[in-house]
Amino acid sequence: MPSARDIPALAFDAAAPAVRARGLVKQFGRRRALDGVDLEVPAGAFLSIFGPNGAGKTTLLRQLALLARPTRGELSILGIDALAEPERLRPRIGLISHRSMLYGDLSAAENLAFFSALYDGEPQRSRIDELLRLVELDHRRNDAVRTFSRGMQQRLSIARALVNDPALVLLDEPYSGLDPHAAEIFDQLIGRVRADRTFIMVSHDLEKGFSMATHALILARGQVVLSAPVAGIDFAAFRDLYLATVGMGVA
């Protein structure tokens, strides 16, 4: 895998949307997980994606993370054609999942060093130190991650996702399995790193996702039901629309 320093610098269009998708289709055999999705996310926005199981949420997030290619359609990220130049964009994308994607037998510092080396060819020690302080795990830097609580692992997963200083951060059900205290700490950490980044989160928690978002998207059967800024939208009306459109799919 090429490191970030091996990839020519991208000339990003600061005025372009962080994400623009046109007619995205992802087909598995005869089943369409995505069926003509159009999406535009302004730079600096926080988009929450909602929908019942099987709506296509995770499939869409995988397209945006450049982990899979659409069957057809157009996708640009940070003003760059993501289908033509995925390797040049990957260093600008971070992913936080309900799975930590960490190595349990490595220490916190070793995990961040490993992921840093993937992007920069060698660990960026000052960046690792900064991130461990940010997620308040510097005192556990040399401890194996398998000894961490679920909440601590999710905090470290934020540091892992930010090790390459991404402009776009994707979150796939990041609160799954967190107790209320751990979720509150996670909230605070996300708040600290919101500036100058675009966030896109898949969530089953309608109220939580809506409260965090500047924009909301509802998917059903692989199609966009609603995509709009949340400003001026009453949550009760939004919830009613969700239930009326996609059924009882709220966790």
Side-chain angles (χ1 to χ4, degrees):
M1 176 179 177
S3 70
R5 67 184 56 185
D6 298 324
I7 299 173
L10 282 173
F12 293 103
D13 182 355
V19 173
R20 178 184 283 136
R22 292 289 181 267
L24 280 189
V25 172
K26 183 63 178 179
Q27 195 147 341
F28 299 98
R30 295 183 178 181
R31 185 177 73 87
R32 284 192 176 184
L34 298 177
D35 189 9
V37 169
D38 292 337
L39 174 64
E40 189 162 304
V41 184
F46 193 119
L47 172 71
S48 289
I49 301 175
F50 306 103
N53 291 334
K57 303 184 302 297
T58 296
T59 299
L60 176 57
L61 205 70
R62 284 180 58 82
Q63 311 301 307
L64 301 182
L66 306 181
L67 296 175
R69 290 180 64 88
T71 304
R72 62 176 178 269
E74 300 175 4
L75 176 63
S76 66
I77 296 176
L78 306 175
I80 302 297
D81 186 337
L83 304 183
E85 302 185 275
E87 292 297 335
R88 304 182 79 186
L89 275 169
R90 286 192 178 104
R92 301 305 313 277
I93 300 172
L95 176 63
I96 302 171
S97 177
H98 53 278
R99 295 179 296 106
S100 67
M101 296 185 283
L102 299 167
Y103 293 93
D105 289 331
L106 298 183
S107 71
E110 287 170 339
N111 266 278
L112 296 188
F114 172 77
F115 286 101
S116 176
L118 291 179
Y119 292 106
D120 294 308
E122 61 185 47
Q124 301 297 303
R125 299 295 178 185
S126 61
R127 178 69 174 162
I128 291 169
D129 292 342
E130 174 190 354
L131 288 170
L132 286 172
R133 288 193 297 270
L134 172 72
V135 299
E136 300 179 4
L137 288 173
D138 47 320
H139 65 296
R140 299 291 301 271
R141 62 179 297 120
N142 295 318
D143 295 345
V145 166
R146 57 181 162 75
T147 68
F148 287 9
S149 68
R150 164 73 175 144
M152 292 169 65
Q153 290 189 21
Q154 278 300 77
R155 282 153 57 189
L156 188 60
S157 75
I158 294 178
R160 173 195 52 73
L162 297 180
V163 75
N164 54 319
D165 195 21
L168 174 63
V169 179
L170 307 172
L171 303 100
D172 185 11
E173 296 285 357
Y175 290 89
S176 178
L178 294 184
D179 62 45
H181 178 64
E184 182 178 353
I185 294 173
F186 192 84
D187 278 347
Q188 294 169 0
L189 291 174
I190 292 296
R192 291 180 198 172
V193 300
R194 281 281 299 270
D196 302 322
R197 292 186 175 90
T198 303
F199 281 75
I200 298 178
M201 180 173 75
V202 164
S203 178
H204 272 105
D205 188 331
L206 203 66
E207 186 170 4
K208 176 75 171 177
F210 189 87
S211 70
M212 296 178 68
T214 63
H215 294 69
L217 183 143
I218 297 175
L219 275 180
R221 297 171 292 280
Q223 296 180 335
V224 174
V225 175
L226 173 75
S227 180
V230 301
I233 298 178
D234 177 72
F235 173 70
F238 181 81
R239 180 184 175 89
D240 289 345
L241 172 64
Y242 180 93
L243 293 175
T245 306
V246 302
M248 299 297 293
V250 182

